[in-house]
Amino acid sequence: MTDTTVPTEAGPARTRLSVRFSARDLVSVAIFAVLMIVVTYAIGMLGILSPLVWLAVVPVSVLVNGIVFLLFVTRVKHAGMVTLLGVAVALFYLLTGNTVFSTIGIIVLAVLAEVVLWAGRYRSRWAAIWAYTIFALSFFTPFLPLVFDRENYLRSPSFTTMGQEYVAGADALTTLPVLGVLALAIAVAGFLGGLFGSAVLRKHFVRAGLA
């Protein structure tokens, strides 16, 4: 597929929003969506140890996924791919028990991350870092039901199978102040993950014209 761009007087062509994806684009999105989900699940499995570990591993997952996201950005050829990545991840989590709150949140954050990349003409390293900082907030969306629908969320199978002691511990731990600190920790981890990912993938960024 030929890239869809709009020439500007101020500089290089700006990528225009497009929903026309090539087979290669779709394969890239699928591969990186799977990578992000696998990394998240692999690290998140440690959460079975205790509610405290369950919360603590989320920023770790965000940090590691910075490499995955930043590598994906080097594969982006036109607008819309980051949004599609967010949709793929959101739908997977919806099918595996996540709430509608989380699904909508992930997609909205993916669109916002796309806007940041678009503003950087998909050629800005810092735009990529800030885009991931925004996208990383999607890791907080599964906790939204603890604010809006707490009782039903704690009664869901994913919690009840952990045992009453675990559920009671999670209920006691996830106060609003703690959730606020978690959201802040995720945002910081997102920024650091973007920096870490860009540093690890510096050669890829140079090759893709993002350095």
Side-chain angles (χ1 to χ4, degrees):
M1 172 181 170
T2 303
D3 291 349
T4 307
T5 57
V6 178
T8 64
E9 294 181 0
R14 181 185 292 272
T15 305
R16 185 169 54 197
L17 185 62
S18 170
V19 293
R20 296 175 57 192
F21 299 102
S22 68
R24 185 174 182 179
D25 294 332
L26 296 177
V27 169
S28 291
V29 169
I31 289 173
F32 282 93
V34 169
L35 282 174
M36 189 166 287
I37 290 167
V38 168
V39 169
T40 302
Y41 265 93
I43 297 174
M45 285 296 291
L46 295 172
I48 65 175
L49 297 176
S50 73
L52 180 59
V53 176
W54 169 52
L55 297 185
V57 297
V58 178
V60 177
S61 181
V62 171
L63 189 65
V64 176
N65 269 304
I67 299 175
V68 179
F69 186 89
L70 270 290
L71 182 58
F72 174 69
V73 169
T74 67
R75 303 294 196 274
V76 170
K77 301 302 181 184
H78 62 84
M81 290 182 67
V82 173
T83 299
L84 188 58
L85 175 72
V87 171
V89 171
L91 291 180
F92 174 83
Y93 286 130
L94 179 64
L95 293 174
T96 55
N98 247 17
T99 65
V100 174
F101 288 121
S102 179
T103 303
I104 295 173
I106 293 171
I107 293 173
V108 168
L109 289 166
V111 172
L112 293 175
E114 184 89 53
V115 170
V116 171
L117 284 170
W118 180 82
R121 300 179 180 179
Y122 293 85
R123 287 295 176 268
S124 167
R125 171 176 171 265
W126 280 106
I129 291 170
W130 285 113
Y132 181 63
T133 303
I134 293 171
F135 186 85
L137 291 173
S138 64
F139 286 79
F140 183 75
T141 61
F143 297 94
L144 290 177
L146 288 169
V147 178
F148 301 109
D149 194 21
R150 188 182 189 87
E151 290 187 8
N152 287 330
Y153 185 63
L154 291 173
R155 291 174 184 168
S156 64
S158 59
F159 269 100
T160 55
T161 55
M162 303 295 290
Q164 287 303 314
E165 184 178 350
Y166 190 99
V167 174
D171 188 21
L173 179 62
T174 54
T175 62
L176 287 180
V178 169
L179 291 176
V181 171
L182 177 63
L184 179 60
I186 288 173
V188 172
F191 180 71
L192 294 177
L195 290 174
F196 180 55
S198 66
V200 170
L201 302 169
R202 186 172 299 278
K203 290 183 179 180
H204 292 276
F205 271 60
V206 171
R207 192 177 301 119
L210 284 156

